[in-house]
PDB file of all heavy atoms in Angstrom:
ATOM      1  N   THR A   1       0.848  -1.189  -0.044  1.00  0.00           N
ATOM      2  CA  THR A   1      -0.015   0.021  -0.001  1.00  0.00           C
ATOM      3  C   THR A   1       0.854   1.233  -0.056  1.00  0.00           C
ATOM      4  O   THR A   1       2.130   1.181   0.499  1.00  0.00           O
ATOM      5  CB  THR A   1      -0.962   0.037   1.151  1.00  0.00           C
ATOM      6  OG1 THR A   1      -1.968   1.074   0.969  1.00  0.00           O
ATOM      7  CG2 THR A   1      -0.226   0.269   2.552  1.00  0.00           C
ATOM      8  N   TYR A   2       0.369   2.311  -0.555  1.00  0.00           N
ATOM      9  CA  TYR A   2       1.231   3.506  -0.814  1.00  0.00           C
ATOM     10  C   TYR A   2       0.594   4.740  -0.079  1.00  0.00           C
ATOM     11  O   TYR A   2      -0.553   5.034  -0.134  1.00  0.00           O
ATOM     12  CB  TYR A   2       1.193   3.852  -2.287  1.00  0.00           C
ATOM     13  CG  TYR A   2       1.781   5.213  -2.671  1.00  0.00           C
ATOM     14  CD1 TYR A   2       3.100   5.530  -2.452  1.00  0.00           C
ATOM     15  CD2 TYR A   2       0.981   6.185  -3.136  1.00  0.00           C
ATOM     16  CE1 TYR A   2       3.647   6.748  -2.792  1.00  0.00           C
ATOM     17  CE2 TYR A   2       1.395   7.436  -3.389  1.00  0.00           C
ATOM     18  CZ  TYR A   2       2.791   7.757  -3.217  1.00  0.00           C
ATOM     19  OH  TYR A   2       3.306   9.037  -3.456  1.00  0.00           O
ATOM     20  N   HIS A   3       1.478   5.421   0.668  1.00  0.00           N
ATOM     21  CA  HIS A   3       1.109   6.730   1.355  1.00  0.00           C
ATOM     22  C   HIS A   3       1.755   7.852   0.571  1.00  0.00           C
ATOM     23  O   HIS A   3       3.032   7.949   0.508  1.00  0.00           O
ATOM     24  CB  HIS A   3       1.740   6.596   2.767  1.00  0.00           C
ATOM     25  CG  HIS A   3       1.696   7.994   3.497  1.00  0.00           C
ATOM     26  ND1 HIS A   3       0.486   8.616   3.793  1.00  0.00           N
ATOM     27  CD2 HIS A   3       2.675   8.758   3.910  1.00  0.00           C
ATOM     28  CE1 HIS A   3       0.820   9.749   4.322  1.00  0.00           C
ATOM     29  NE2 HIS A   3       2.107   9.911   4.531  1.00  0.00           N
ATOM     30  N   PRO A   4       0.882   8.720   0.123  1.00  0.00           N
ATOM     31  CA  PRO A   4       1.384   9.946  -0.573  1.00  0.00           C
ATOM     32  C   PRO A   4       1.805  10.976   0.453  1.00  0.00           C
ATOM     33  O   PRO A   4       0.877  11.580   1.132  1.00  0.00           O
ATOM     34  CB  PRO A   4       0.282  10.409  -1.411  1.00  0.00           C
ATOM     35  CG  PRO A   4      -1.043   9.811  -0.703  1.00  0.00           C
ATOM     36  CD  PRO A   4      -0.563   8.624   0.033  1.00  0.00           C
ATOM     37  N   THR A   5       3.046  11.240   0.553  1.00  0.00           N
ATOM     38  CA  THR A   5       3.581  12.157   1.619  1.00  0.00           C
ATOM     39  C   THR A   5       3.044  13.652   1.264  1.00  0.00           C
ATOM     40  O   THR A   5       2.832  13.991   0.108  1.00  0.00           O
ATOM     41  CB  THR A   5       5.036  12.156   1.727  1.00  0.00           C
ATOM     42  OG1 THR A   5       5.620  12.575   0.545  1.00  0.00           O
ATOM     43  CG2 THR A   5       5.487  10.688   2.078  1.00  0.00           C
ATOM     44  N   CYS A   6       2.898  14.462   2.248  1.00  0.00           N
ATOM     45  CA  CYS A   6       2.267  15.776   2.100  1.00  0.00           C
ATOM     46  C   CYS A   6       3.005  16.670   1.161  1.00  0.00           C
ATOM     47  O   CYS A   6       2.479  17.271   0.299  1.00  0.00           O
ATOM     48  CB  CYS A   6       2.179  16.442   3.486  1.00  0.00           C
ATOM     49  SG  CYS A   6       0.943  15.681   4.557  1.00  0.00           S
ATOM     50  N   HIS A   7       4.368  16.781   1.305  1.00  0.00           N
ATOM     51  CA  HIS A   7       5.148  17.695   0.409  1.00  0.00           C
ATOM     52  C   HIS A   7       5.100  17.199  -0.980  1.00  0.00           C
ATOM     53  O   HIS A   7       5.088  18.028  -1.977  1.00  0.00           O
ATOM     54  CB  HIS A   7       6.510  17.851   1.010  1.00  0.00           C
ATOM     55  CG  HIS A   7       6.678  18.736   2.114  1.00  0.00           C
ATOM     56  ND1 HIS A   7       7.795  18.921   2.912  1.00  0.00           N
ATOM     57  CD2 HIS A   7       5.733  19.559   2.724  1.00  0.00           C
ATOM     58  CE1 HIS A   7       7.557  19.855   3.844  1.00  0.00           C
ATOM     59  NE2 HIS A   7       6.285  20.239   3.781  1.00  0.00           N
ATOM     60  N   SER A   8       5.211  15.842  -1.163  1.00  0.00           N
ATOM     61  CA  SER A   8       5.221  15.360  -2.556  1.00  0.00           C
ATOM     62  C   SER A   8       3.863  15.523  -3.200  1.00  0.00           C
ATOM     63  O   SER A   8       3.798  15.949  -4.383  1.00  0.00           O
ATOM     64  CB  SER A   8       5.535  13.861  -2.623  1.00  0.00           C
ATOM     65  OG  SER A   8       4.568  13.108  -1.951  1.00  0.00           O
ATOM     66  N   LEU A   9       2.793  15.457  -2.383  1.00  0.00           N
ATOM     67  CA  LEU A   9       1.436  15.623  -2.908  1.00  0.00           C
ATOM     68  C   LEU A   9       1.014  17.108  -3.160  1.00  0.00           C
ATOM     69  O   LEU A   9       0.593  17.514  -4.206  1.00  0.00           O
ATOM     70  CB  LEU A   9       0.493  14.938  -1.914  1.00  0.00           C
ATOM     71  CG  LEU A   9      -0.966  14.939  -2.346  1.00  0.00           C
ATOM     72  CD1 LEU A   9      -1.203  13.999  -3.501  1.00  0.00           C
ATOM     73  CD2 LEU A   9      -1.885  14.457  -1.134  1.00  0.00           C
ATOM     74  N   ARG A  10       1.366  17.884  -2.169  1.00  0.00           N
ATOM     75  CA  ARG A  10       0.796  19.291  -2.110  1.00  0.00           C
ATOM     76  C   ARG A  10       1.847  20.364  -2.586  1.00  0.00           C
ATOM     77  O   ARG A  10       1.456  21.387  -3.149  1.00  0.00           O
ATOM     78  CB  ARG A  10       0.363  19.638  -0.729  1.00  0.00           C
ATOM     79  CG  ARG A  10      -0.846  18.754  -0.357  1.00  0.00           C
ATOM     80  CD  ARG A  10      -1.280  19.031   1.121  1.00  0.00           C
ATOM     81  NE  ARG A  10      -2.436  18.244   1.400  1.00  0.00           N
ATOM     82  CZ  ARG A  10      -2.302  17.054   1.956  1.00  0.00           C
ATOM     83  NH1 ARG A  10      -1.138  16.380   2.187  1.00  0.00           N
ATOM     84  NH2 ARG A  10      -3.431  16.373   2.218  1.00  0.00           N
ATOM     85  N   MET A  11       3.216  20.166  -2.377  1.00  0.00           N
ATOM     86  CA  MET A  11       4.113  21.159  -2.765  1.00  0.00           C
ATOM     87  C   MET A  11       4.627  20.956  -4.128  1.00  0.00           C
ATOM     88  O   MET A  11       4.684  21.920  -4.954  1.00  0.00           O
ATOM     89  CB  MET A  11       5.321  21.133  -1.798  1.00  0.00           C
ATOM     90  CG  MET A  11       6.305  22.207  -2.006  1.00  0.00           C
ATOM     91  SD  MET A  11       7.723  22.214  -0.792  1.00  0.00           S
ATOM     92  CE  MET A  11       6.859  22.946   0.602  1.00  0.00           C
ATOM     93  N   ILE A  12       5.093  19.743  -4.530  1.00  0.00           N
ATOM     94  CA  ILE A  12       5.655  19.604  -5.812  1.00  0.00           C
ATOM     95  C   ILE A  12       4.711  18.856  -6.779  1.00  0.00           C
ATOM     96  O   ILE A  12       4.911  18.657  -7.946  1.00  0.00           O
ATOM     97  CB  ILE A  12       7.069  18.883  -5.780  1.00  0.00           C
ATOM     98  CG1 ILE A  12       6.886  17.477  -5.194  1.00  0.00           C
ATOM     99  CG2 ILE A  12       8.034  19.662  -5.082  1.00  0.00           C
ATOM    100  CD1 ILE A  12       8.217  16.742  -5.155  1.00  0.00           C
ATOM    101  N   GLY A  13       3.559  18.298  -6.274  1.00  0.00           N
ATOM    102  CA  GLY A  13       2.499  17.762  -7.120  1.00  0.00           C
ATOM    103  C   GLY A  13       2.895  16.516  -7.947  1.00  0.00           C
ATOM    104  O   GLY A  13       2.730  16.484  -9.124  1.00  0.00           O
ATOM    105  N   VAL A  14       3.467  15.464  -7.186  1.00  0.00           N
ATOM    106  CA  VAL A  14       3.802  14.268  -7.922  1.00  0.00           C
ATOM    107  C   VAL A  14       2.571  13.544  -8.407  1.00  0.00           C
ATOM    108  O   VAL A  14       2.682  12.690  -9.419  1.00  0.00           O
ATOM    109  CB  VAL A  14       4.718  13.329  -7.098  1.00  0.00           C
ATOM    110  CG1 VAL A  14       5.944  14.032  -6.686  1.00  0.00           C
ATOM    111  CG2 VAL A  14       3.953  12.808  -5.837  1.00  0.00           C
ATOM    112  N   GLY A  15       1.436  13.796  -7.923  1.00  0.00           N
ATOM    113  CA  GLY A  15       0.249  13.235  -8.394  1.00  0.00           C
ATOM    114  C   GLY A  15       0.215  11.673  -8.344  1.00  0.00           C
ATOM    115  O   GLY A  15       0.697  11.062  -7.357  1.00  0.00           O
ATOM    116  N   ASP A  16      -0.163  11.076  -9.396  1.00  0.00           N
ATOM    117  CA  ASP A  16      -0.167   9.621  -9.492  1.00  0.00           C
ATOM    118  C   ASP A  16       1.034   8.917  -9.966  1.00  0.00           C
ATOM    119  O   ASP A  16       1.024   7.719 -10.278  1.00  0.00           O
ATOM    120  CB  ASP A  16      -1.434   9.182 -10.342  1.00  0.00           C
ATOM    121  CG  ASP A  16      -1.262   9.485 -11.830  1.00  0.00           C
ATOM    122  OD1 ASP A  16      -0.362  10.174 -12.179  1.00  0.00           O
ATOM    123  OD2 ASP A  16      -2.026   8.985 -12.665  1.00  0.00           O
ATOM    124  N   ARG A  17       2.106   9.621 -10.188  1.00  0.00           N
ATOM    125  CA  ARG A  17       3.367   9.114 -10.731  1.00  0.00           C
ATOM    126  C   ARG A  17       3.861   7.912  -9.906  1.00  0.00           C
ATOM    127  O   ARG A  17       4.179   6.851 -10.511  1.00  0.00           O
ATOM    128  CB  ARG A  17       4.426  10.113 -10.812  1.00  0.00           C
ATOM    129  CG  ARG A  17       4.127  11.240 -11.907  1.00  0.00           C
ATOM    130  CD  ARG A  17       5.211  12.351 -11.767  1.00  0.00           C
ATOM    131  NE  ARG A  17       4.999  13.520 -12.666  1.00  0.00           N
ATOM    132  CZ  ARG A  17       4.056  14.488 -12.437  1.00  0.00           C
ATOM    133  NH1 ARG A  17       3.460  14.464 -11.194  1.00  0.00           N
ATOM    134  NH2 ARG A  17       3.936  15.507 -13.232  1.00  0.00           N
ATOM    135  N   PRO A  18       3.919   7.929  -8.640  1.00  0.00           N
ATOM    136  CA  PRO A  18       4.281   6.782  -7.852  1.00  0.00           C
ATOM    137  C   PRO A  18       3.407   5.591  -8.057  1.00  0.00           C
ATOM    138  O   PRO A  18       3.870   4.487  -8.156  1.00  0.00           O
ATOM    139  CB  PRO A  18       4.384   7.242  -6.364  1.00  0.00           C
ATOM    140  CG  PRO A  18       4.552   8.695  -6.455  1.00  0.00           C
ATOM    141  CD  PRO A  18       3.738   9.091  -7.706  1.00  0.00           C
ATOM    142  N   LEU A  19       2.049   5.807  -8.150  1.00  0.00           N
ATOM    143  CA  LEU A  19       1.153   4.727  -8.373  1.00  0.00           C
ATOM    144  C   LEU A  19       1.317   4.137  -9.753  1.00  0.00           C
ATOM    145  O   LEU A  19       1.120   2.868  -9.931  1.00  0.00           O
ATOM    146  CB  LEU A  19      -0.282   5.273  -8.166  1.00  0.00           C
ATOM    147  CG  LEU A  19      -0.630   5.688  -6.744  1.00  0.00           C
ATOM    148  CD1 LEU A  19      -1.963   6.361  -6.649  1.00  0.00           C
ATOM    149  CD2 LEU A  19      -0.610   4.414  -5.754  1.00  0.00           C
ATOM    150  N   ARG A  20       1.583   4.931 -10.688  1.00  0.00           N
ATOM    151  CA  ARG A  20       1.794   4.390 -12.094  1.00  0.00           C
ATOM    152  C   ARG A  20       3.043   3.616 -12.124  1.00  0.00           C
ATOM    153  O   ARG A  20       3.003   2.484 -12.794  1.00  0.00           O
ATOM    154  CB  ARG A  20       1.950   5.605 -13.070  1.00  0.00           C
ATOM    155  CG  ARG A  20       0.579   6.343 -13.312  1.00  0.00           C
ATOM    156  CD  ARG A  20       0.773   7.693 -13.883  1.00  0.00           C
ATOM    157  NE  ARG A  20       1.504   7.647 -15.231  1.00  0.00           N
ATOM    158  CZ  ARG A  20       1.834   8.832 -15.856  1.00  0.00           C
ATOM    159  NH1 ARG A  20       1.660  10.061 -15.253  1.00  0.00           N
ATOM    160  NH2 ARG A  20       2.344   8.698 -17.025  1.00  0.00           N
ATOM    161  N   LEU A  21       4.044   3.916 -11.350  1.00  0.00           N
ATOM    162  CA  LEU A  21       5.267   3.161 -11.324  1.00  0.00           C
ATOM    163  C   LEU A  21       5.015   1.857 -10.561  1.00  0.00           C
ATOM    164  O   LEU A  21       5.432   0.735 -11.025  1.00  0.00           O
ATOM    165  CB  LEU A  21       6.363   3.923 -10.617  1.00  0.00           C
ATOM    166  CG  LEU A  21       6.991   5.117 -11.378  1.00  0.00           C
ATOM    167  CD1 LEU A  21       7.664   6.102 -10.517  1.00  0.00           C
ATOM    168  CD2 LEU A  21       7.900   4.627 -12.544  1.00  0.00           C
ATOM    169  N   LEU A  22       4.348   1.932  -9.516  1.00  0.00           N
ATOM    170  CA  LEU A  22       4.037   0.706  -8.720  1.00  0.00           C
ATOM    171  C   LEU A  22       3.105  -0.253  -9.448  1.00  0.00           C
ATOM    172  O   LEU A  22       3.240  -1.502  -9.338  1.00  0.00           O
ATOM    173  CB  LEU A  22       3.397   1.049  -7.397  1.00  0.00           C
ATOM    174  CG  LEU A  22       4.340   1.736  -6.302  1.00  0.00           C
ATOM    175  CD1 LEU A  22       3.505   2.353  -5.198  1.00  0.00           C
ATOM    176  CD2 LEU A  22       5.340   0.781  -5.718  1.00  0.00           C
ATOM    177  N   SER A  23       2.163   0.295 -10.263  1.00  0.00           N
ATOM    178  CA  SER A  23       1.190  -0.555 -10.968  1.00  0.00           C
ATOM    179  C   SER A  23       1.945  -1.320 -12.006  1.00  0.00           C
ATOM    180  O   SER A  23       1.395  -2.398 -12.399  1.00  0.00           O
ATOM    181  CB  SER A  23       0.120   0.317 -11.609  1.00  0.00           C
ATOM    182  OG  SER A  23      -0.624   0.934 -10.562  1.00  0.00           O
ATOM    183  N   ALA A  24       3.093  -0.939 -12.499  1.00  0.00           N
ATOM    184  CA  ALA A  24       3.814  -1.648 -13.528  1.00  0.00           C
ATOM    185  C   ALA A  24       4.785  -2.680 -12.928  1.00  0.00           C
ATOM    186  O   ALA A  24       5.481  -3.342 -13.721  1.00  0.00           O
ATOM    187  CB  ALA A  24       4.569  -0.668 -14.417  1.00  0.00           C
ATOM    188  N   VAL A  25       4.971  -2.763 -11.620  1.00  0.00           N
ATOM    189  CA  VAL A  25       5.851  -3.682 -11.045  1.00  0.00           C
ATOM    190  C   VAL A  25       5.323  -5.070 -11.103  1.00  0.00           C
ATOM    191  O   VAL A  25       4.111  -5.241 -10.489  1.00  0.00           O
ATOM    192  CB  VAL A  25       6.183  -3.262  -9.588  1.00  0.00           C
ATOM    193  CG1 VAL A  25       7.083  -4.234  -8.914  1.00  0.00           C
ATOM    194  CG2 VAL A  25       6.896  -1.858  -9.566  1.00  0.00           C
ATOM    195  N   ARG A  26       5.968  -5.940 -11.613  1.00  0.00           N
ATOM    196  CA  ARG A  26       5.489  -7.363 -11.758  1.00  0.00           C
ATOM    197  C   ARG A  26       5.516  -8.030 -10.372  1.00  0.00           C
ATOM    198  O   ARG A  26       6.337  -7.914  -9.541  1.00  0.00           O
ATOM    199  CB  ARG A  26       6.414  -8.175 -12.700  1.00  0.00           C
ATOM    200  CG  ARG A  26       6.255  -7.759 -14.254  1.00  0.00           C
ATOM    201  CD  ARG A  26       7.100  -8.634 -15.095  1.00  0.00           C
ATOM    202  NE  ARG A  26       8.529  -8.632 -14.706  1.00  0.00           N
ATOM    203  CZ  ARG A  26       9.139  -9.693 -14.263  1.00  0.00           C
ATOM    204  NH1 ARG A  26       8.551 -10.771 -13.970  1.00  0.00           N
ATOM    205  NH2 ARG A  26      10.444  -9.543 -13.940  1.00  0.00           N
ATOM    206  N   GLY A  27       4.380  -8.804 -10.158  1.00  0.00           N
ATOM    207  CA  GLY A  27       4.302  -9.404  -8.897  1.00  0.00           C
ATOM    208  C   GLY A  27       3.673  -8.670  -7.699  1.00  0.00           C
ATOM    209  O   GLY A  27       3.263  -9.294  -6.722  1.00  0.00           O
ATOM    210  N   LEU A  28       3.602  -7.425  -7.891  1.00  0.00           N
ATOM    211  CA  LEU A  28       3.160  -6.455  -6.841  1.00  0.00           C
ATOM    212  C   LEU A  28       1.648  -6.378  -6.814  1.00  0.00           C
ATOM    213  O   LEU A  28       1.052  -6.149  -7.837  1.00  0.00           O
ATOM    214  CB  LEU A  28       3.823  -5.107  -7.063  1.00  0.00           C
ATOM    215  CG  LEU A  28       3.565  -4.153  -5.883  1.00  0.00           C
ATOM    216  CD1 LEU A  28       4.820  -3.208  -5.668  1.00  0.00           C
ATOM    217  CD2 LEU A  28       2.398  -3.269  -6.070  1.00  0.00           C
ATOM    218  N   ASP A  29       1.071  -6.603  -5.665  1.00  0.00           N
ATOM    219  CA  ASP A  29      -0.313  -6.495  -5.376  1.00  0.00           C
ATOM    220  C   ASP A  29      -0.643  -5.053  -4.699  1.00  0.00           C
ATOM    221  O   ASP A  29      -0.305  -4.923  -3.533  1.00  0.00           O
ATOM    222  CB  ASP A  29      -0.904  -7.614  -4.569  1.00  0.00           C
ATOM    223  CG  ASP A  29      -2.377  -7.603  -4.368  1.00  0.00           C
ATOM    224  OD1 ASP A  29      -3.113  -6.767  -5.077  1.00  0.00           O
ATOM    225  OD2 ASP A  29      -2.914  -8.363  -3.528  1.00  0.00           O
ATOM    226  N   LEU A  30      -1.090  -4.104  -5.486  1.00  0.00           N
ATOM    227  CA  LEU A  30      -1.206  -2.786  -4.957  1.00  0.00           C
ATOM    228  C   LEU A  30      -2.538  -2.538  -4.397  1.00  0.00           C
ATOM    229  O   LEU A  30      -3.599  -2.681  -5.006  1.00  0.00           O
ATOM    230  CB  LEU A  30      -0.958  -1.762  -6.182  1.00  0.00           C
ATOM    231  CG  LEU A  30      -0.989  -0.230  -5.774  1.00  0.00           C
ATOM    232  CD1 LEU A  30       0.038   0.089  -4.685  1.00  0.00           C
ATOM    233  CD2 LEU A  30      -0.800   0.679  -6.965  1.00  0.00           C
ATOM    234  N   ILE A  31      -2.607  -2.119  -3.066  1.00  0.00           N
ATOM    235  CA  ILE A  31      -3.803  -2.048  -2.285  1.00  0.00           C
ATOM    236  C   ILE A  31      -4.011  -0.543  -1.998  1.00  0.00           C
ATOM    237  O   ILE A  31      -3.175   0.169  -1.599  1.00  0.00           O
ATOM    238  CB  ILE A  31      -3.840  -2.858  -0.969  1.00  0.00           C
ATOM    239  CG1 ILE A  31      -3.328  -4.265  -1.267  1.00  0.00           C
ATOM    240  CG2 ILE A  31      -5.108  -2.695  -0.315  1.00  0.00           C
ATOM    241  CD1 ILE A  31      -4.257  -5.027  -2.099  1.00  0.00           C
ATOM    242  N   ASP A  32      -5.271  -0.075  -2.246  1.00  0.00           N
ATOM    243  CA  ASP A  32      -5.522   1.295  -1.921  1.00  0.00           C
ATOM    244  C   ASP A  32      -5.477   1.567  -0.387  1.00  0.00           C
ATOM    245  O   ASP A  32      -6.003   0.740   0.435  1.00  0.00           O
ATOM    246  CB  ASP A  32      -6.911   1.752  -2.402  1.00  0.00           C
ATOM    247  CG  ASP A  32      -7.047   1.768  -3.890  1.00  0.00           C
ATOM    248  OD1 ASP A  32      -6.026   1.983  -4.623  1.00  0.00           O
ATOM    249  OD2 ASP A  32      -8.132   1.643  -4.449  1.00  0.00           O
ATOM    250  N   LEU A  33      -4.896   2.669  -0.069  1.00  0.00           N
ATOM    251  CA  LEU A  33      -4.830   3.057   1.291  1.00  0.00           C
ATOM    252  C   LEU A  33      -6.024   3.915   1.714  1.00  0.00           C
ATOM    253  O   LEU A  33      -6.175   5.069   1.081  1.00  0.00           O
ATOM    254  CB  LEU A  33      -3.493   3.730   1.677  1.00  0.00           C
ATOM    255  CG  LEU A  33      -3.324   4.380   3.068  1.00  0.00           C
ATOM    256  CD1 LEU A  33      -3.194   3.185   4.022  1.00  0.00           C
ATOM    257  CD2 LEU A  33      -2.032   5.193   3.143  1.00  0.00           C
ATOM    258  N   PRO A  34      -6.846   3.601   2.674  1.00  0.00           N
ATOM    259  CA  PRO A  34      -7.907   4.463   3.090  1.00  0.00           C
ATOM    260  C   PRO A  34      -7.433   5.773   3.580  1.00  0.00           C
ATOM    261  O   PRO A  34      -6.384   5.891   4.235  1.00  0.00           O
ATOM    262  CB  PRO A  34      -8.642   3.762   4.183  1.00  0.00           C
ATOM    263  CG  PRO A  34      -8.262   2.215   3.983  1.00  0.00           C
ATOM    264  CD  PRO A  34      -6.921   2.392   3.441  1.00  0.00           C
ATOM    265  N   GLU A  35      -8.115   6.879   3.309  1.00  0.00           N
ATOM    266  CA  GLU A  35      -7.816   8.308   3.692  1.00  0.00           C
ATOM    267  C   GLU A  35      -6.330   8.514   3.355  1.00  0.00           C
ATOM    268  O   GLU A  35      -5.550   9.135   4.211  1.00  0.00           O
ATOM    269  CB  GLU A  35      -8.028   8.460   5.201  1.00  0.00           C
ATOM    270  CG  GLU A  35      -9.463   8.165   5.615  1.00  0.00           C
ATOM    271  CD  GLU A  35      -9.676   8.225   7.134  1.00  0.00           C
ATOM    272  OE1 GLU A  35      -9.032   9.031   7.750  1.00  0.00           O
ATOM    273  OE2 GLU A  35     -10.448   7.483   7.554  1.00  0.00           O
ATOM    274  N   ALA A  36      -5.920   8.156   2.200  1.00  0.00           N
ATOM    275  CA  ALA A  36      -4.489   8.203   1.830  1.00  0.00           C
ATOM    276  C   ALA A  36      -3.874   9.558   1.934  1.00  0.00           C
ATOM    277  O   ALA A  36      -2.745   9.781   2.338  1.00  0.00           O
ATOM    278  CB  ALA A  36      -4.341   7.693   0.406  1.00  0.00           C
ATOM    279  N   GLU A  37      -4.771  10.629   1.605  1.00  0.00           N
ATOM    280  CA  GLU A  37      -4.071  11.906   1.502  1.00  0.00           C
ATOM    281  C   GLU A  37      -4.018  12.665   2.836  1.00  0.00           C
ATOM    282  O   GLU A  37      -3.634  13.818   2.913  1.00  0.00           O
ATOM    283  CB  GLU A  37      -4.891  12.807   0.434  1.00  0.00           C
ATOM    284  CG  GLU A  37      -4.673  12.236  -0.980  1.00  0.00           C
ATOM    285  CD  GLU A  37      -5.326  13.120  -2.002  1.00  0.00           C
ATOM    286  OE1 GLU A  37      -5.889  14.221  -1.651  1.00  0.00           O
ATOM    287  OE2 GLU A  37      -5.395  12.762  -3.226  1.00  0.00           O
ATOM    288  N   THR A  38      -4.501  11.954   3.916  1.00  0.00           N
ATOM    289  CA  THR A  38      -4.322  12.517   5.196  1.00  0.00           C
ATOM    290  C   THR A  38      -2.971  12.507   5.775  1.00  0.00           C
ATOM    291  O   THR A  38      -2.290  11.477   5.602  1.00  0.00           O
ATOM    292  CB  THR A  38      -5.315  11.821   6.221  1.00  0.00           C
ATOM    293  OG1 THR A  38      -6.678  11.847   5.742  1.00  0.00           O
ATOM    294  CG2 THR A  38      -5.203  12.350   7.653  1.00  0.00           C
ATOM    295  N   CYS A  39      -2.397  13.543   6.420  1.00  0.00           N
ATOM    296  CA  CYS A  39      -1.085  13.567   6.919  1.00  0.00           C
ATOM    297  C   CYS A  39      -0.833  12.521   7.915  1.00  0.00           C
ATOM    298  O   CYS A  39      -1.653  12.239   8.744  1.00  0.00           O
ATOM    299  CB  CYS A  39      -0.753  15.032   7.369  1.00  0.00           C
ATOM    300  SG  CYS A  39       0.820  15.225   8.116  1.00  0.00           S
ATOM    301  N   CYS A  40       0.381  12.025   7.979  1.00  0.00           N
ATOM    302  CA  CYS A  40       0.786  11.036   8.921  1.00  0.00           C
ATOM    303  C   CYS A  40       1.131  11.675  10.239  1.00  0.00           C
ATOM    304  O   CYS A  40       1.235  10.959  11.312  1.00  0.00           O
ATOM    305  CB  CYS A  40       1.945  10.197   8.476  1.00  0.00           C
ATOM    306  SG  CYS A  40       3.550  11.034   8.411  1.00  0.00           S
ATOM    307  N   GLY A  41       1.359  13.015  10.244  1.00  0.00           N
ATOM    308  CA  GLY A  41       1.671  13.650  11.543  1.00  0.00           C
ATOM    309  C   GLY A  41       3.149  13.998  11.768  1.00  0.00           C
ATOM    310  O   GLY A  41       3.585  14.525  12.878  1.00  0.00           O
ATOM    311  N   PHE A  42       4.019  13.564  10.861  1.00  0.00           N
ATOM    312  CA  PHE A  42       5.443  13.780  11.059  1.00  0.00           C
ATOM    313  C   PHE A  42       5.802  15.319  10.837  1.00  0.00           C
ATOM    314  O   PHE A  42       6.036  15.979  11.880  1.00  0.00           O
ATOM    315  CB  PHE A  42       6.273  12.912  10.138  1.00  0.00           C
ATOM    316  CG  PHE A  42       7.744  12.993  10.392  1.00  0.00           C
ATOM    317  CD1 PHE A  42       8.329  12.669  11.570  1.00  0.00           C
ATOM    318  CD2 PHE A  42       8.567  13.614   9.351  1.00  0.00           C
ATOM    319  CE1 PHE A  42       9.721  12.805  11.840  1.00  0.00           C
ATOM    320  CE2 PHE A  42       9.985  13.761   9.615  1.00  0.00           C
ATOM    321  CZ  PHE A  42      10.481  13.433  10.843  1.00  0.00           C
TER     322      PHE A  42
END
């Protein structure tokens, strides 16, 4: 599962690029993270 970090999401706007890369990885089972865009608190 993938956590979009705040600065990558909001400051530089990486968008779905990491997900596109992960989706192309063979053997990887990509699971959606609930409330993914919520900050982790770091």
Side-chain angles (χ1 to χ4, degrees):
T1 193
Y2 167 72
H3 166 63
T5 64
C6 289
H7 282 172
S8 67
L9 185 69
R10 298 176 176 88
M11 183 178 287
I12 60 175
V14 300
D16 68 348
R17 293 172 182 83
L19 292 172
R20 289 160 63 188
L21 290 159
L22 288 168
S23 296
V25 175
R26 289 184 303 110
L28 188 147
D29 184 10
L30 184 59
I31 309 300
D32 289 338
L33 177 65
E35 301 175 37
E37 296 186 3
T38 301
C39 179
C40 72
F42 181 66

